[in-house]
């Protein structure tokens, strides 16, 4: 294969998993459960779950009554192996009076791993701090089993504060090597500022001769804080070192008045209340955790006048950003932080970035992260698709909240499918489109996803499906048309997706899991064959998401033009950079061989390269540690530079041969992908 | 309007009946005292106030219904010249009245999303009037006397006015129910006029019974937004003393 293709170290700007060959890993098997009364062997899955509950390898994390179907109950169960939790090994089970309705999740069996860590908890704290480049934060690290694509790792999970962000860090419990880390700040990348001068009602509480932004009318404690530009105090509060005080709560403009003129405070406080109301009115849900979890909103974390001297990370986190942190503040129950924005001329010369609380869909987006954190979780698994789905659901219900309260339109304070439209003047300068993702540079089809990439980027595949299921239309990539339920019936799609998120989806969900659970939810609510079920099924088809029951492989993104610059040592030009993804189905795979076929411009075979398992492990390390294994429902991916020995057009195809858990040989291949010169 | 018409008919009728009396004799008493109970027919008025609730004006409409009101009246006077007398009278009534309240109460979280509530309010009203009267006394027969009167009046009105409503509401506050009306007590005075006729039947030379009708009126402003009609037509009867 020598001169035909070469490995690129990273695929774009993806956050790659860090793993050392020195880490200990073990084998096991994962089983994906996606069964319901109409699909799969529900009885045996249900019995398996019961058996695991009896021997305490499954432990109930949460039980909630269904807010939409009163006779249903939803359980969330975490898997343990000899008392150690398996990350992502969780199951959701829906039951009705006449028995189980559905079971979704991933279970791991035959995990052969020594569960006695070489590192003490104290040593793990240091390893976690070093891995993140910050200080350890919170209580003792948790010993967990972490499934990665090369097998199972005994790991410590803990948090460290970098000074800007709170990081969740997995380190190997024997070597201390970092296995994975991700920010606990679920962020919305954007840019915004200010209010639009619209009248809003502020639910405030009298306190010490004035009024403070502490909502006395809603069941959940909803409090908006004014951090007065004190970044150090903001960071200390987020890092659980400093408790927020009543003096931090935003107050009315003048003593003894209940008039509020600080737009950032007003918007944060009011929109958070509206979002709480939206959850209740639309879904019957009581707040972020369905138990009226308190909702602290932090505004003015920095001062505008400091933007010129702020570091890039501070600007990216506290000025041009909003985020939800699920474990922040001293009680560890989470907080929302809204960036200060950047008035025109302070950072961008031609864009006025408003405070990030200025847009209802953005506030609702961040708060939906709170719902997700208290239900399907979906966070921190960027090697899978859960991170993108987390963002997608936040977009869906951010937009849904806007349509619940605002009239449709493209102007300020109007509802549209352009998330973040109101953050900037001109409108939508940094927005994300759900109706036409390509218009904002985002993918509208699963084939265009960026494996291991920015979750915000990949999110539009799912959020576009949500859009199509409501409004209908034709997907620009697949050309498939969806018969939506219509805007007047948008509630059906919103409820189906919300039900899937909050009750059916496990933390390790993929796009495929989301497909089956949203369809299941529509079936639960509106019946088999309903318009909602049809629309959702068509929408997932249109964006190219199918049930991941069998292995698949793709060449991404569409490599119809060669790379602008040479990417390998071969003198042959042109060259193309292609992203290759091999995805397992419901079973773990061990790749034995892969074959790279090159075709010239006439379609004749030009070269046939047979490659080994070791070479697969060498190349496929862009969205997980390089390994010949692909765990069920996960991807292995690579960025590869290829040429056609000087031919300016042709095609390429890769065929993989693997064995599954049962020892069966499995063959799957990418489509033959056309390569054209510029 | 109905009560005014009744009074006018009575006056015309009594005037006709007095024609023979005028020919018979002049009124010779030096003065009189009348003590009466009266009945004032029902009346109603409505009012709208817009108190600020939840940072937005509420709209509170109240219809005040004063049923038939019993009252008390006393008057006395002296003959001035021939059949002409001058007198002064005081009338008074007090009653708890029903107020029908309907309101549009703003939503605590949203502008322009009012909740409709309605209910009844118990409202008190009392009214005192002092009437200065010029009277023309007409002996109709040996035992019958007619008195025609008119003059200025001074009304003092005390009225409970609905200023807002109290509601019960639960989250998410999209609806509310009426709990009670918030009232304020208003008092005001204003000059008006009176006109009336009274027929007396003398049981004894100086004591008799009489009945009459009276119409009095003044528009009394209780506050900047509410002006009420005081007085009205009333019919009554009682003791008549001549001296």
């Amino acid at each position: 294969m020598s001169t035909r293709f070469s490995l690129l170290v990273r695929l774009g700007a993806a956050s790659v998993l860090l793993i050392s060959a020195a880490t200990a890993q073990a084998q096991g098997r994962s089983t994906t459960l996606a069964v319901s009364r109409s699909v799969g062997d529900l009885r045996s899955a249900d019995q398996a779950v019961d058996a695991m509950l009896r021997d305490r390898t499954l432990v109930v994390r949460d039980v909630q009554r269904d807010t939409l179907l009163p006779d249903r109950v939803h359980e969330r169960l975490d898997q343990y192996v000899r008392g150690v939790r398996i990350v992502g090994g969780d199951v959701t089970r829906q039951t009705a009076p006449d028995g189980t309705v559905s079971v979704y999740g991933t279970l791991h069996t035959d995990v052969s791993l020594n569960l006695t860590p070489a590192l003490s908890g104290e040593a793990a704290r240091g390893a976690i701090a070093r891995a993140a480049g910050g200080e350890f934060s919170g209580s003792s690290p948790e010993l967990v089993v972490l499934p990665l694509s090369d097998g199972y790792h005994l790991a410590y999970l803990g948090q460290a504060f970098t000074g800007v962000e709170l990081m969740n860090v997995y380190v190997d419990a024997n070597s201390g090597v970092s296995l994975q880390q991700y920010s606990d700040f679920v962020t919305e990348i954007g840019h915004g500022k200010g209010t639009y001068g619209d009248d809003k009602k502020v639910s405030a509480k009298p306190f010490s001769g004035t009024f403070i932004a502490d909502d006395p009318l809603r069941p959940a404690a909803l409090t908006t804080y004014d951090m007065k530009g004190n970044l150090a105090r903001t960071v200390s509060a987020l890092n659980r070192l400093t408790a927020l005080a009543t003096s931090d709560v935003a107050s009315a403009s003048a003593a003894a008045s209940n008039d509020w003129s600080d737009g950032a405070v007003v918007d944060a406080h009011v929109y958070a209340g509206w979002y709480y109301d939206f959850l209740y009115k639309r879904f019957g849900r009581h707040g972020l955790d369905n138990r009226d979890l308190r909702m602290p909103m932090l505004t003015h974390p920095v001062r505008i006048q400091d933007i010129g001297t702020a570091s890039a990370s501070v600007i990216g986190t506290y000025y041009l950003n909003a985020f939800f942190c699920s474990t922040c503040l001293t009680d560890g129950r989470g907080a929302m932080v809204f960036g200060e924005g950047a008035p025109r001329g302070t950072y961008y010369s031609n864009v006025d970035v408003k405070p990030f609380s200025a847009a209802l869909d953005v506030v609702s987006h961040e708060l939906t992260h709170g719902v997700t954190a208290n239900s399907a979780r979906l966070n921190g698994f960027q090697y899978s698709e859960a991170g993108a789905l987390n963002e997608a659901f936040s977009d869906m219900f951010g937009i849904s909240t806007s349509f619940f309260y605002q009239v449709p339109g493209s102007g300020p304070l109007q509802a549209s499918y352009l998330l973040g439209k109101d953050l900037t003047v001109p409108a939508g300068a940094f927005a994300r489109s759900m109706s036409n993702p390509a218009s904002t540079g985002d993918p509208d089809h699963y084939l265009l996803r960026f494996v291991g990439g920015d979750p915000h980027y990949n999110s539009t595949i799912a959020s576009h499906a949500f859009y199509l299921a409501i409004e209908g239309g034709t997907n620009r990539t697949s050309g498939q048309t969806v018969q939506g339920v219509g805007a007047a019936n948008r509630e059906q799609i919103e409820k189906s997706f919300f039900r899937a998120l909050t009750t059916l989806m496990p933390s390790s969900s993929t796009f495929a899991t989301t497909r089956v659970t949203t369809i299941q939810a529509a079936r639960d609510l509106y019946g088999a064959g309903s318009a909602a079920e049809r629309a959702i099924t068509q929408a997932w088809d249109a964006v190219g998401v199918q049930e991941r029951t069998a292995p698949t492989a793709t060449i991404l993104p569409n490599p119809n033009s060669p790379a602008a610059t040479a990417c390998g040592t071969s003198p042959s030009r042109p060259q193309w950079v292609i992203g290759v993804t091999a995805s397992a189905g419901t079973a773990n795979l061990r790749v034995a061989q892969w074959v790279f076929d090159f075709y010239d411009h006439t379609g004749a075979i030009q070269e046939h390269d047979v490659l080994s398992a070791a070479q697969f492990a060498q190349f496929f390390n862009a969205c997980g540690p390089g390994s010949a294994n692909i765990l069920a429902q996960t991807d292995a991916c690579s960025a590869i530079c290829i040429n056609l020995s000087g031919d300016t057009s042709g095609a390429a195809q890769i065929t993989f041969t693997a064995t599954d858990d049962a020892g069966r040989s499995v063959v799957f291949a990418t489509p033959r992908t056309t390569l054209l010169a510029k | 309007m109905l009560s005014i018409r009744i009074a006018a008919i009575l006056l015309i009728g009594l005037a006709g009946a007095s024609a023979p009396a005028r020919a018979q004799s002049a009124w010779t008493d030096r003065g009189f005292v009348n003590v009466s109970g009266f009945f004032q027919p029902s009346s109603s008025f409505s009012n709208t106030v817009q108190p600020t609730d939840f940072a937005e004006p509420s709209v509170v409409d109240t219809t005040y219904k004063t049923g038939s009101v019993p009252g008390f009246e006393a008057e006395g006077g002296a003959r001035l010249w021939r059949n002409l007398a001058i007198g002064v009278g005081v009338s008074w009534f007090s009653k708890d009245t029903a107020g029908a309240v309907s309101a549009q109460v703003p939503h605590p979280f949203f502008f322009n999303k009012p909740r409709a509530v309605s209910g009844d309010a118990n409202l008190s009203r009392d009214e005192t009037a002092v009437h200065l009267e010029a009277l023309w006394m007409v002996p109709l027969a040996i035992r019958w006397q007619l008195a025609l009167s008119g003059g200025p009046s001074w009304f003092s009105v005390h009225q409970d006015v609905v200023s807002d409503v109290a509601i019960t509401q639960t989250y998410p506050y999209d609806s509310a129910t009426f709990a009670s009306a918030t009232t304020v007590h208003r008092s005001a005075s204003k000059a008006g006029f009176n006109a009336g006729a009274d027929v007396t039947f003398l049981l004894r030379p100086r004591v008799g019974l009489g009945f009459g009708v009276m119409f009095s009126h003044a528009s009394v402003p209780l506050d900047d937004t509410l002006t009420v009609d005081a007085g009205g037509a009333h019919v009554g009867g009682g003791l008549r003393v001549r001296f």
Side-chain angles (χ1 to χ4, degrees):
Chain A
M1 73 165 192
S2 54
T3 60
R4 279 305 177 85
F5 48 90
S6 57
L7 174 67
L8 291 183
V9 174
R10 288 177 61 139
L11 182 59
S15 298
V16 298
L17 304 176
L18 302 174
I19 192 166
S20 162
T23 62
Q25 68 259 18
Q27 296 308 310
R29 290 190 299 124
S30 62
T31 304
T32 302
L33 296 173
V35 293
S36 64
R37 288 179 174 176
S38 55
V39 180
D41 187 354
L42 178 61
R43 183 183 171 86
S44 63
D46 196 34
Q47 288 173 342
V49 167
D50 284 337
M52 294 179 73
L53 277 169
R54 281 193 296 275
D55 67 18
R56 298 198 59 74
T57 50
L58 273 182
V59 175
V60 177
R61 184 207 313 160
D62 190 31
V63 179
Q64 296 223 7
R65 287 220 158 267
D66 198 312
T67 55
L68 299 177
L69 300 175
D71 63 340
R72 304 284 177 92
V73 173
H74 298 275
E75 297 170 283
R76 288 190 174 278
L77 314 168
D78 284 329
Q79 188 183 3
Y80 287 74
V81 52
R82 299 195 293 285
V84 179
R85 183 170 68 89
I86 301 178
V87 176
D90 61 341
V91 171
T92 67
R93 180 164 67 170
Q94 176 185 193
T95 55
D98 59 346
T100 298
V101 177
S102 63
V103 177
Y104 295 101
T106 301
L107 293 175
H108 302 267
T109 54
D110 302 330
V111 177
S112 58
L113 192 63
N114 181 355
L115 295 177
T116 305
L119 281 186
S120 66
E122 189 58 35
R125 293 165 65 101
I128 287 166
R130 283 192 299 277
E135 293 182 359
F136 185 83
S137 177
S139 55
S140 300
E142 179 189 8
L143 188 66
V144 295
V145 172
L146 180 65
L148 295 176
S149 60
D150 64 338
Y152 295 85
H153 297 254
L154 186 66
Y156 278 110
L157 166 62
Q159 290 188 317
F161 201 75
T162 65
V164 175
E165 288 184 274
L166 193 61
M167 302 297 293
N168 290 302
V169 182
Y170 292 93
V171 295
D172 189 281
N174 295 308
S175 67
V177 168
S178 175
L179 296 171
Q180 184 193 8
Q181 54 183 287
Y182 61 93
S183 174
D184 200 47
F185 293 3
V186 183
T187 64
E188 171 57 36
I189 306 302
H191 317 263
K193 128 84 182 137
T195 71
Y196 287 88
D198 53 320
D199 292 324
K200 290 187 172 76
K201 293 189 177 184
V202 178
S203 182
K205 185 183 286 183
F207 178 79
S208 193
T210 185
F211 287 85
I212 58 174
D214 189 2
D215 187 342
L217 292 178
R218 291 181 172 89
L222 197 161
T223 312
T224 300
Y225 295 89
D226 179 356
M227 301 311 294
K228 302 177 181 66
N230 188 336
L231 179 59
R233 185 169 177 79
T234 303
V235 166
S236 182
L238 294 175
N239 195 23
R240 303 181 287 246
L241 299 176
T242 301
L244 290 173
T246 306
S247 57
D248 293 312
V249 180
S251 56
S253 305
S257 86
N258 202 0
D259 294 327
W260 300 76
S261 58
D262 186 329
V265 167
V266 169
D267 285 342
H269 196 63
V270 170
Y271 286 157
W274 288 11
Y275 180 76
Y276 179 92
D277 299 339
F278 170 70
L279 292 182
Y280 180 79
K281 292 178 180 178
R282 186 66 109 198
F283 310 117
R285 187 178 178 87
H286 293 267
L288 304 184
D289 65 348
N290 204 20
R291 295 183 176 88
D292 288 328
L293 176 66
R294 89 283 182 281
M295 296 164 60
M297 266 70 59
L298 276 61
T299 61
H300 301 308
V302 288
R303 299 187 309 170
I304 280 295
Q305 56 265 42
D306 294 337
I307 194 170
T309 56
S311 67
S313 61
V314 167
I315 291 173
T317 304
Y318 295 102
Y319 284 91
L320 307 179
N321 190 29
F323 62 86
F324 169 75
C325 170
S326 65
T327 56
C328 283
L329 303 190
T330 49
D331 64 358
R333 302 298 308 276
M336 270 60 62
V337 181
F338 298 100
E340 193 66 7
R344 191 189 304 267
T346 59
Y347 194 75
Y348 297 103
S349 59
N350 56 354
V351 177
D352 182 16
V353 186
K354 296 182 176 296
F356 272 63
S357 57
L360 173 58
D361 54 2
V362 172
V363 174
S364 303
H365 170 107
E366 300 307 336
L367 289 164
T368 302
H369 284 311
V371 172
T372 303
N374 286 284
S375 54
R377 296 187 174 174
L378 298 179
N379 194 30
F381 298 96
Q382 291 180 340
Y383 59 89
S384 70
E385 298 170 347
L389 290 164
N390 194 337
E391 293 300 333
F393 276 97
S394 278
D395 278 5
M396 292 174 204
F397 296 110
I399 291 291
S400 296
T401 309
S402 294
F403 276 98
F404 193 80
Y405 291 108
Q406 298 175 330
V407 296
S410 58
L413 306 176
Q414 294 181 329
S416 80
Y417 286 99
L418 199 59
L419 189 108
K421 165 178 63 67
D422 287 353
L423 281 183
T424 57
V425 177
F430 308 110
R432 199 159 46 237
S433 173
M434 287 167 64
S435 57
N436 180 13
S439 67
T440 52
D442 298 301
D444 67 356
H445 196 277
Y446 196 58
L447 284 175
L448 302 179
R449 75 190 189 279
F450 183 15
V451 176
D454 184 343
H456 298 89
Y457 176 80
N458 288 329
S459 70
T460 49
I461 298 164
S463 61
H464 183 56
F466 178 79
Y467 162 82
L468 288 173
I470 295 172
E471 303 286 351
T474 302
N475 179 270
R476 289 169 174 77
T477 299
S478 69
Q480 292 186 40
T481 297
V482 178
Q483 185 183 352
V485 295
N489 298 312
R490 59 180 311 117
E491 178 179 345
Q492 295 178 10
I493 303 304
E494 291 174 3
K495 284 183 171 176
S496 298
F497 275 70
F498 194 83
R499 179 180 184 78
L501 172 70
T502 55
T503 62
L504 304 180
M505 292 172 64
S507 63
S508 56
S509 290
T510 60
F511 281 95
T513 313
T514 310
R515 175 193 165 103
V516 296
T517 52
T518 51
I519 292 170
Q520 172 72 41
R523 212 176 279 142
D524 288 343
L525 293 172
Y526 305 107
S530 61
E533 183 191 2
R534 183 208 61 228
I536 293 170
T537 304
Q538 288 181 358
W540 285 119
D541 286 344
V543 301
V545 173
Q546 301 293 338
E547 288 188 52
R548 189 185 273 194
T549 54
T552 58
T554 55
I555 294 178
L556 305 169
N558 186 355
N560 281 345
S561 62
T565 58
C567 51
T569 56
S570 169
S572 294
R573 297 289 185 274
Q575 296 177 334
W576 289 264
V577 177
I578 60 172
V580 183
T581 303
S583 307
T586 53
N588 300 324
L589 296 179
R590 181 166 186 79
V591 175
Q593 173 185 288
W594 53 305
V595 175
F596 223 130
D597 288 317
F598 296 90
Y599 301 88
D600 66 17
H601 66 281
T602 67
I605 186 77
Q606 191 182 65
E607 189 165 317
H608 177 80
D609 291 326
V610 179
L611 304 162
S612 67
Q615 288 168 314
F616 183 89
Q618 178 192 352
F619 272 71
F620 283 79
N621 65 353
C623 53
S627 166
N629 296 325
I630 313 174
L631 285 184
Q633 300 291 321
T634 66
D635 301 312
C637 51
S638 179
I640 303 173
C641 184
I642 61 175
N643 67 73
L644 292 173
S645 300
D647 215 346
T648 56
S649 64
Q653 183 175 31
I654 307 173
T655 304
F656 301 88
T657 303
T659 53
D660 66 11
D661 293 329
R664 292 183 294 251
S665 178
V666 177
V667 178
F668 57 103
T670 69
R672 187 186 295 188
T673 304
T674 302
L675 305 170
L676 295 173
K678 262 184 181 172
Chain B
M1 182 58 81
L2 176 62
S3 56
I4 296 172
R5 189 176 300 151
I6 291 170
I9 291 169
L10 281 169
L11 284 170
I12 292 167
L14 290 170
S18 69
R22 245 192 340 259
Q24 287 179 5
S25 61
W27 183 52
T28 57
D29 299 327
R30 287 178 296 165
F32 65 93
V33 171
N34 296 342
V35 178
S36 302
F38 66 81
F39 227 67
Q40 184 159 309
S42 62
S43 63
S44 69
F45 64 96
S46 61
N47 184 43
T48 299
V49 293
Q50 296 191 318
T52 297
D53 295 309
F54 304 119
E56 189 179 2
S58 288
V59 178
V60 181
D61 294 315
T62 306
T63 300
Y64 299 78
K65 293 178 182 170
T66 306
S68 299
V69 183
F72 172 80
E73 184 177 35
E75 63 178 328
R79 186 163 65 88
L80 209 59
W81 172 73
R82 295 184 60 174
N83 288 28
L84 182 66
I86 187 166
V88 60
V90 177
S91 63
W92 175 85
F93 73 81
S94 176
K95 181 161 188 188
D96 285 344
T97 59
V101 182
S102 62
Q104 300 285 318
V105 182
H107 195 288
F109 300 149
F110 306 101
F111 285 102
N112 304 315
K113 302 248 185 210
R115 287 92 42 90
V117 300
S118 61
D120 292 326
N122 217 14
L123 306 165
S124 75
R125 168 154 181 177
D126 61 65
E127 187 176 310
T128 304
V130 177
H131 309 287
L132 288 176
E133 299 167 329
L135 300 99
W136 187 255
M137 307 296 278
V138 183
L140 299 174
I142 292 176
R143 294 188 173 199
W144 292 89
Q145 290 183 351
L146 169 68
L148 301 174
S149 62
S153 298
W154 183 258
F155 292 89
S156 175
V157 176
H158 301 265
Q159 170 77 55
D160 284 342
V161 175
V162 173
S163 60
D164 203 346
V165 292
I167 58 170
T168 56
Q169 57 178 358
T170 56
Y171 180 82
Y173 312 120
D174 291 340
S175 62
T177 54
F178 180 88
S180 63
T182 305
T183 61
V184 292
H185 193 74
R186 301 279 187 219
S187 299
S189 301
K190 186 77 182 290
F193 68 91
N194 69 81
D198 187 89
V199 174
T200 298
F201 175 72
L202 293 170
L203 300 170
R204 300 174 72 88
R206 297 201 177 278
V207 178
L209 296 174
F211 72 95
V213 297
M214 182 183 215
F215 179 78
S216 60
H217 178 76
S219 293
V220 181
L222 292 178
D223 58 32
D224 291 342
T225 62
L226 176 60
T227 296
V228 298
D229 288 335
H234 71 239
V235 295
L239 185 65
R240 303 290 184 262
V241 178
R242 301 287 183 262
F243 53 88

